[in-house]
Amino acid sequence: MTQEDLFKKLIAHSKEYGFIFQSSEIYDGLSAVYDYGQLGAELKNNIKKYWWEAMVRLNDNIVGIDSAIFMHPRIWEASGHVGAFNDPLIDNKDSKKRYRADVLLEEHIAKIEDKIEKEVEKGRKKFADSFDETKFRETNPNVIRNQNKIAEITHRMNGALNSNDLDALKQLILDCEIVCPISGTRNWTDVRQFNLMFSLQMGSTAESANTIYLRPETAQGIFVNFLNVQKTGRMKIPFGIAQIGKAFRNEIVARQFIFRMREFEQMEMQFFVRPGEELKWFAKWKENRMKWHKSLGVGDDNYRFHDHEKLAHYANAATDIEFNFPFGFKEVEGIHSRTDFDLGSHQKYSGKKLQYFDSETGESYVPYVIETSIGVDRMMLLILSSSYHEERLSDDEQRIVLHIPPVLAPVKLAVLPLLKKDGLPEKAREILNSLKCDFYCQYDEKDSIGKRYRRQDAIGTPFCITVDHQTLDDNTVTVRHRDTMEQQRVDISKIYEIINEQVSFKKIFEKLI
Ligand code: ATP
């Protein structure tokens, strides 16, 4: 199955089983906005719980807040969003389609990277066992030529973006001979800047109304509460403030399902440190966050760092954690060393001192900040896309299974009476009732047991508990494991332990401390 097919199937599967629906579907949908269904909401909550508890519970110097979405409009001037939260857009005059200029160039670079990989594969086949990949990459003329091309395009693109030179960006698109994927032509408009913030009117009458913005990130709610939290929580530097909440961006090109939405959710943590110590903490948070990801066990090779060459004007280091999505390696989380830019700027705009008195050094200063910022929805897509598998069981039977890490699985166990009679449903309900305070359970008595197992596989339930006639005699049940399909006969009193061992965060958290 190609990655493209896999992605299409995943989208259909997410809808069919109640994970993700198009928003306003009965009105033909609203572009790049999605609703989470009954299982999607559970999975999302579990992801948020994993993040929140790993941040707030495991670190005694990190606390969590929940700030409002609406904020004073001056905040967005201070943060630089009013002036500079723009994407460079370009239209194709023939297809009338709109693109992000930097994305067109990045896709062009990705195509050249593909060519390099194909060349390397050719070399691998040709030289078989004696193939030395590093040497091949360093000496093959085609590879070298394409690498140089990438370096040149990247250099020109970063230069143009950094200096906000929109003409240079357009010239680069023309020089790379990039065509519109729809019309196939190079008939481009000039590149223009487009602000990504949604604005709205607050106030009851037109005269008194103020223009405010839907927040494009949750971080600013943390910065403006920095002193409130520091003082009331008696926090000592280094310390962090975490927050989970909705953010809104009027994305120009919204696509790839829930990867890029106009309304989405972020989990952000700002870590306040002494000036001069920020790069040490940046390295520490890079390591911590990668560990958090890899602890879920969805394959270490699927992650990589992408260190930024082009830094935002306020940052002195930045990296993305990228994941191997069905459409390639893409950002799931950003880690940024934001210096004292945000607090310093709010101090200037608000006229209020945002300083910290360090009793160890006897100095007052504006702290430096390391930010970790991850999208809940991208994390959902990461989990769904890495867990979706079609497995052939025999010649005429296949199963679709979501190998969701048990700690995140929406439903932890299903209780299934083998038959709908002979007291088996009653016994099954009794077992269900004894477990439902601890785990999210489902009860299912319809169809054959095989069909019921398939239904649970398709939603990623790690355990099925089957109640049969023997259960009535000796109080034992069958525990069926999702991943191995193994069945284990155990006493009812053992079910809790078997399930808890797999679905509790405890084991993972112990590794993260
Ligand atoms: P991208 O380069 O993909 O646009 P970004 O660098 O603008 O992302 P940040 O501003 O660093 O993203 O936001 C932090 C995180 O928020 C991202 O890593 C991503 O997981 C999530 N995120 C950002 N924009 C969106 C969006 N439109 N839809 C879903 N998640 C998003």
PDB file of all heavy atoms in Angstrom, residues 471-492:
ATOM      1  N   THR A 471     -16.890 -19.709  32.863  1.00  0.00           N
ATOM      2  CA  THR A 471     -16.796 -18.587  33.808  1.00  0.00           C
ATOM      3  C   THR A 471     -17.763 -18.802  34.972  1.00  0.00           C
ATOM      4  O   THR A 471     -17.451 -18.531  36.130  1.00  0.00           O
ATOM      5  CB  THR A 471     -17.141 -17.260  33.097  1.00  0.00           C
ATOM      6  OG1 THR A 471     -16.407 -17.195  31.893  1.00  0.00           O
ATOM      7  CG2 THR A 471     -16.838 -16.053  33.966  1.00  0.00           C
ATOM      8  N   LEU A 472     -18.972 -19.318  34.616  1.00  0.00           N
ATOM      9  CA  LEU A 472     -19.987 -19.502  35.650  1.00  0.00           C
ATOM     10  C   LEU A 472     -19.555 -20.587  36.637  1.00  0.00           C
ATOM     11  O   LEU A 472     -19.879 -20.542  37.817  1.00  0.00           O
ATOM     12  CB  LEU A 472     -21.327 -19.866  35.009  1.00  0.00           C
ATOM     13  CG  LEU A 472     -21.863 -18.865  33.973  1.00  0.00           C
ATOM     14  CD1 LEU A 472     -23.195 -19.335  33.404  1.00  0.00           C
ATOM     15  CD2 LEU A 472     -22.025 -17.477  34.598  1.00  0.00           C
ATOM     16  N   ASP A 473     -18.769 -21.574  36.132  1.00  0.00           N
ATOM     17  CA  ASP A 473     -18.323 -22.673  37.004  1.00  0.00           C
ATOM     18  C   ASP A 473     -17.132 -22.288  37.873  1.00  0.00           C
ATOM     19  O   ASP A 473     -17.115 -22.542  39.060  1.00  0.00           O
ATOM     20  CB  ASP A 473     -17.884 -23.886  36.153  1.00  0.00           C
ATOM     21  CG  ASP A 473     -19.075 -24.495  35.449  1.00  0.00           C
ATOM     22  OD1 ASP A 473     -20.199 -24.256  35.928  1.00  0.00           O
ATOM     23  OD2 ASP A 473     -18.877 -25.167  34.414  1.00  0.00           O
ATOM     24  N   ASP A 474     -16.107 -21.662  37.218  1.00  0.00           N
ATOM     25  CA  ASP A 474     -14.863 -21.495  37.992  1.00  0.00           C
ATOM     26  C   ASP A 474     -14.366 -20.050  38.089  1.00  0.00           C
ATOM     27  O   ASP A 474     -13.223 -19.820  38.476  1.00  0.00           O
ATOM     28  CB  ASP A 474     -13.747 -22.394  37.414  1.00  0.00           C
ATOM     29  CG  ASP A 474     -13.359 -21.976  36.000  1.00  0.00           C
ATOM     30  OD1 ASP A 474     -13.907 -20.958  35.509  1.00  0.00           O
ATOM     31  OD2 ASP A 474     -12.511 -22.649  35.409  1.00  0.00           O
ATOM     32  N   ASN A 475     -15.210 -19.109  37.684  1.00  0.00           N
ATOM     33  CA  ASN A 475     -14.829 -17.688  37.816  1.00  0.00           C
ATOM     34  C   ASN A 475     -13.595 -17.306  37.003  1.00  0.00           C
ATOM     35  O   ASN A 475     -12.861 -16.406  37.383  1.00  0.00           O
ATOM     36  CB  ASN A 475     -14.568 -17.348  39.291  1.00  0.00           C
ATOM     37  CG  ASN A 475     -15.541 -16.284  39.768  1.00  0.00           C
ATOM     38  OD1 ASN A 475     -16.541 -15.991  39.084  1.00  0.00           O
ATOM     39  ND2 ASN A 475     -15.256 -15.691  40.902  1.00  0.00           N
ATOM     40  N   THR A 476     -13.375 -17.979  35.882  1.00  0.00           N
ATOM     41  CA  THR A 476     -12.259 -17.574  35.015  1.00  0.00           C
ATOM     42  C   THR A 476     -12.826 -17.002  33.716  1.00  0.00           C
ATOM     43  O   THR A 476     -13.944 -17.306  33.330  1.00  0.00           O
ATOM     44  CB  THR A 476     -11.318 -18.751  34.663  1.00  0.00           C
ATOM     45  OG1 THR A 476     -12.079 -19.715  33.937  1.00  0.00           O
ATOM     46  CG2 THR A 476     -10.671 -19.348  35.890  1.00  0.00           C
ATOM     47  N   VAL A 477     -12.018 -16.157  33.051  1.00  0.00           N
ATOM     48  CA  VAL A 477     -12.423 -15.575  31.757  1.00  0.00           C
ATOM     49  C   VAL A 477     -11.253 -15.695  30.790  1.00  0.00           C
ATOM     50  O   VAL A 477     -10.140 -16.024  31.195  1.00  0.00           O
ATOM     51  CB  VAL A 477     -12.766 -14.071  31.894  1.00  0.00           C
ATOM     52  CG1 VAL A 477     -14.028 -13.835  32.674  1.00  0.00           C
ATOM     53  CG2 VAL A 477     -11.592 -13.308  32.496  1.00  0.00           C
ATOM     54  N   THR A 478     -11.536 -15.405  29.516  1.00  0.00           N
ATOM     55  CA  THR A 478     -10.439 -15.343  28.553  1.00  0.00           C
ATOM     56  C   THR A 478     -10.058 -13.888  28.354  1.00  0.00           C
ATOM     57  O   THR A 478     -10.924 -13.058  28.076  1.00  0.00           O
ATOM     58  CB  THR A 478     -10.891 -15.914  27.191  1.00  0.00           C
ATOM     59  OG1 THR A 478     -11.412 -17.197  27.413  1.00  0.00           O
ATOM     60  CG2 THR A 478      -9.742 -15.981  26.223  1.00  0.00           C
ATOM     61  N   VAL A 479      -8.768 -13.603  28.496  1.00  0.00           N
ATOM     62  CA  VAL A 479      -8.292 -12.259  28.177  1.00  0.00           C
ATOM     63  C   VAL A 479      -7.598 -12.359  26.823  1.00  0.00           C
ATOM     64  O   VAL A 479      -6.650 -13.117  26.652  1.00  0.00           O
ATOM     65  CB  VAL A 479      -7.288 -11.747  29.224  1.00  0.00           C
ATOM     66  CG1 VAL A 479      -6.724 -10.387  28.806  1.00  0.00           C
ATOM     67  CG2 VAL A 479      -7.954 -11.642  30.583  1.00  0.00           C
ATOM     68  N   ARG A 480      -8.102 -11.596  25.859  1.00  0.00           N
ATOM     69  CA  ARG A 480      -7.515 -11.644  24.518  1.00  0.00           C
ATOM     70  C   ARG A 480      -6.740 -10.346  24.275  1.00  0.00           C
ATOM     71  O   ARG A 480      -7.242  -9.245  24.473  1.00  0.00           O
ATOM     72  CB  ARG A 480      -8.646 -11.833  23.502  1.00  0.00           C
ATOM     73  CG  ARG A 480      -8.152 -12.013  22.080  1.00  0.00           C
ATOM     74  CD  ARG A 480      -8.735 -10.919  21.254  1.00  0.00           C
ATOM     75  NE  ARG A 480      -8.506 -11.107  19.839  1.00  0.00           N
ATOM     76  CZ  ARG A 480      -8.354 -10.079  19.035  1.00  0.00           C
ATOM     77  NH1 ARG A 480      -8.414  -8.848  19.511  1.00  0.00           N
ATOM     78  NH2 ARG A 480      -8.165 -10.267  17.750  1.00  0.00           N
ATOM     79  N   HIS A 481      -5.467 -10.522  23.878  1.00  0.00           N
ATOM     80  CA  HIS A 481      -4.588  -9.364  23.694  1.00  0.00           C
ATOM     81  C   HIS A 481      -4.654  -8.879  22.245  1.00  0.00           C
ATOM     82  O   HIS A 481      -4.479  -9.663  21.317  1.00  0.00           O
ATOM     83  CB  HIS A 481      -3.144  -9.738  24.043  1.00  0.00           C
ATOM     84  CG  HIS A 481      -2.977 -10.130  25.482  1.00  0.00           C
ATOM     85  ND1 HIS A 481      -2.343  -9.336  26.395  1.00  0.00           N
ATOM     86  CD2 HIS A 481      -3.395 -11.231  26.173  1.00  0.00           C
ATOM     87  CE1 HIS A 481      -2.356  -9.916  27.573  1.00  0.00           C
ATOM     88  NE2 HIS A 481      -2.993 -11.074  27.466  1.00  0.00           N
ATOM     89  N   ARG A 482      -4.858  -7.587  22.070  1.00  0.00           N
ATOM     90  CA  ARG A 482      -5.033  -7.002  20.726  1.00  0.00           C
ATOM     91  C   ARG A 482      -3.845  -7.259  19.790  1.00  0.00           C
ATOM     92  O   ARG A 482      -4.029  -7.709  18.661  1.00  0.00           O
ATOM     93  CB  ARG A 482      -5.230  -5.486  20.882  1.00  0.00           C
ATOM     94  CG  ARG A 482      -5.306  -4.715  19.588  1.00  0.00           C
ATOM     95  CD  ARG A 482      -5.117  -3.226  19.846  1.00  0.00           C
ATOM     96  NE  ARG A 482      -3.742  -2.911  20.217  1.00  0.00           N
ATOM     97  CZ  ARG A 482      -3.354  -1.778  20.779  1.00  0.00           C
ATOM     98  NH1 ARG A 482      -4.229  -0.838  21.048  1.00  0.00           N
ATOM     99  NH2 ARG A 482      -2.085  -1.570  21.078  1.00  0.00           N
ATOM    100  N   ASP A 483      -2.627  -6.994  20.265  1.00  0.00           N
ATOM    101  CA  ASP A 483      -1.491  -7.009  19.347  1.00  0.00           C
ATOM    102  C   ASP A 483      -1.087  -8.414  18.939  1.00  0.00           C
ATOM    103  O   ASP A 483      -0.775  -8.665  17.783  1.00  0.00           O
ATOM    104  CB  ASP A 483      -0.294  -6.269  19.970  1.00  0.00           C
ATOM    105  CG  ASP A 483      -0.628  -4.795  20.162  1.00  0.00           C
ATOM    106  OD1 ASP A 483      -1.585  -4.320  19.518  1.00  0.00           O
ATOM    107  OD2 ASP A 483       0.055  -4.121  20.951  1.00  0.00           O
ATOM    108  N   THR A 484      -1.085  -9.350  19.905  1.00  0.00           N
ATOM    109  CA  THR A 484      -0.637 -10.709  19.592  1.00  0.00           C
ATOM    110  C   THR A 484      -1.806 -11.628  19.278  1.00  0.00           C
ATOM    111  O   THR A 484      -1.611 -12.726  18.764  1.00  0.00           O
ATOM    112  CB  THR A 484       0.095 -11.313  20.802  1.00  0.00           C
ATOM    113  OG1 THR A 484      -0.828 -11.269  21.914  1.00  0.00           O
ATOM    114  CG2 THR A 484       1.344 -10.517  21.149  1.00  0.00           C
ATOM    115  N   MET A 485      -2.994 -11.215  19.598  1.00  0.00           N
ATOM    116  CA  MET A 485      -4.229 -12.005  19.494  1.00  0.00           C
ATOM    117  C   MET A 485      -4.186 -13.250  20.393  1.00  0.00           C
ATOM    118  O   MET A 485      -4.988 -14.162  20.250  1.00  0.00           O
ATOM    119  CB  MET A 485      -4.522 -12.394  18.040  1.00  0.00           C
ATOM    120  CG  MET A 485      -4.898 -11.193  17.205  1.00  0.00           C
ATOM    121  SD  MET A 485      -5.464 -11.638  15.577  1.00  0.00           S
ATOM    122  CE  MET A 485      -3.956 -12.043  14.804  1.00  0.00           C
ATOM    123  N   GLU A 486      -3.221 -13.272  21.289  1.00  0.00           N
ATOM    124  CA  GLU A 486      -3.110 -14.381  22.232  1.00  0.00           C
ATOM    125  C   GLU A 486      -4.281 -14.366  23.205  1.00  0.00           C
ATOM    126  O   GLU A 486      -4.778 -13.287  23.559  1.00  0.00           O
ATOM    127  CB  GLU A 486      -1.829 -14.224  23.043  1.00  0.00           C
ATOM    128  CG  GLU A 486      -0.774 -15.209  22.661  1.00  0.00           C
ATOM    129  CD  GLU A 486       0.532 -14.853  23.364  1.00  0.00           C
ATOM    130  OE1 GLU A 486       0.768 -13.669  23.652  1.00  0.00           O
ATOM    131  OE2 GLU A 486       1.271 -15.762  23.620  1.00  0.00           O
ATOM    132  N   GLN A 487      -4.672 -15.570  23.640  1.00  0.00           N
ATOM    133  CA  GLN A 487      -5.760 -15.637  24.613  1.00  0.00           C
ATOM    134  C   GLN A 487      -5.246 -16.325  25.870  1.00  0.00           C
ATOM    135  O   GLN A 487      -4.535 -17.316  25.795  1.00  0.00           O
ATOM    136  CB  GLN A 487      -6.929 -16.410  24.030  1.00  0.00           C
ATOM    137  CG  GLN A 487      -7.397 -15.780  22.736  1.00  0.00           C
ATOM    138  CD  GLN A 487      -8.778 -16.241  22.317  1.00  0.00           C
ATOM    139  OE1 GLN A 487      -9.475 -16.892  23.084  1.00  0.00           O
ATOM    140  NE2 GLN A 487      -9.170 -15.903  21.101  1.00  0.00           N
ATOM    141  N   GLN A 488      -5.665 -15.773  26.982  1.00  0.00           N
ATOM    142  CA  GLN A 488      -5.098 -16.214  28.255  1.00  0.00           C
ATOM    143  C   GLN A 488      -6.283 -16.488  29.178  1.00  0.00           C
ATOM    144  O   GLN A 488      -7.184 -15.643  29.268  1.00  0.00           O
ATOM    145  CB  GLN A 488      -4.304 -15.002  28.757  1.00  0.00           C
ATOM    146  CG  GLN A 488      -3.390 -15.154  29.878  1.00  0.00           C
ATOM    147  CD  GLN A 488      -2.843 -13.755  30.289  1.00  0.00           C
ATOM    148  OE1 GLN A 488      -3.177 -12.713  29.723  1.00  0.00           O
ATOM    149  NE2 GLN A 488      -2.019 -13.745  31.301  1.00  0.00           N
ATOM    150  N   ARG A 489      -6.276 -17.667  29.836  1.00  0.00           N
ATOM    151  CA  ARG A 489      -7.381 -17.975  30.769  1.00  0.00           C
ATOM    152  C   ARG A 489      -6.959 -17.509  32.165  1.00  0.00           C
ATOM    153  O   ARG A 489      -5.919 -17.958  32.663  1.00  0.00           O
ATOM    154  CB  ARG A 489      -7.625 -19.480  30.751  1.00  0.00           C
ATOM    155  CG  ARG A 489      -8.892 -19.933  31.417  1.00  0.00           C
ATOM    156  CD  ARG A 489     -10.043 -19.949  30.434  1.00  0.00           C
ATOM    157  NE  ARG A 489     -11.309 -19.790  31.137  1.00  0.00           N
ATOM    158  CZ  ARG A 489     -12.455 -19.588  30.544  1.00  0.00           C
ATOM    159  NH1 ARG A 489     -12.542 -19.488  29.237  1.00  0.00           N
ATOM    160  NH2 ARG A 489     -13.566 -19.456  31.243  1.00  0.00           N
ATOM    161  N   VAL A 490      -7.713 -16.601  32.744  1.00  0.00           N
ATOM    162  CA  VAL A 490      -7.303 -16.106  34.061  1.00  0.00           C
ATOM    163  C   VAL A 490      -8.499 -15.994  35.008  1.00  0.00           C
ATOM    164  O   VAL A 490      -9.652 -15.927  34.568  1.00  0.00           O
ATOM    165  CB  VAL A 490      -6.636 -14.702  33.974  1.00  0.00           C
ATOM    166  CG1 VAL A 490      -5.432 -14.711  33.068  1.00  0.00           C
ATOM    167  CG2 VAL A 490      -7.623 -13.641  33.546  1.00  0.00           C
ATOM    168  N   ASP A 491      -8.189 -15.939  36.277  1.00  0.00           N
ATOM    169  CA  ASP A 491      -9.220 -15.743  37.273  1.00  0.00           C
ATOM    170  C   ASP A 491      -9.716 -14.289  37.190  1.00  0.00           C
ATOM    171  O   ASP A 491      -8.932 -13.381  36.911  1.00  0.00           O
ATOM    172  CB  ASP A 491      -8.612 -16.001  38.663  1.00  0.00           C
ATOM    173  CG  ASP A 491      -9.702 -16.176  39.694  1.00  0.00           C
ATOM    174  OD1 ASP A 491     -10.189 -17.323  39.836  1.00  0.00           O
ATOM    175  OD2 ASP A 491     -10.079 -15.158  40.332  1.00  0.00           O
ATOM    176  N   ILE A 492     -10.992 -14.084  37.434  1.00  0.00           N
ATOM    177  CA  ILE A 492     -11.559 -12.723  37.332  1.00  0.00           C
ATOM    178  C   ILE A 492     -10.780 -11.737  38.205  1.00  0.00           C
ATOM    179  O   ILE A 492     -10.551 -10.591  37.821  1.00  0.00           O
ATOM    180  CB  ILE A 492     -13.056 -12.736  37.723  1.00  0.00           C
ATOM    181  CG1 ILE A 492     -13.856 -13.466  36.648  1.00  0.00           C
ATOM    182  CG2 ILE A 492     -13.593 -11.318  37.916  1.00  0.00           C
ATOM    183  CD1 ILE A 492     -15.329 -13.634  36.951  1.00  0.00           C
TER     184      ILE A 492
END
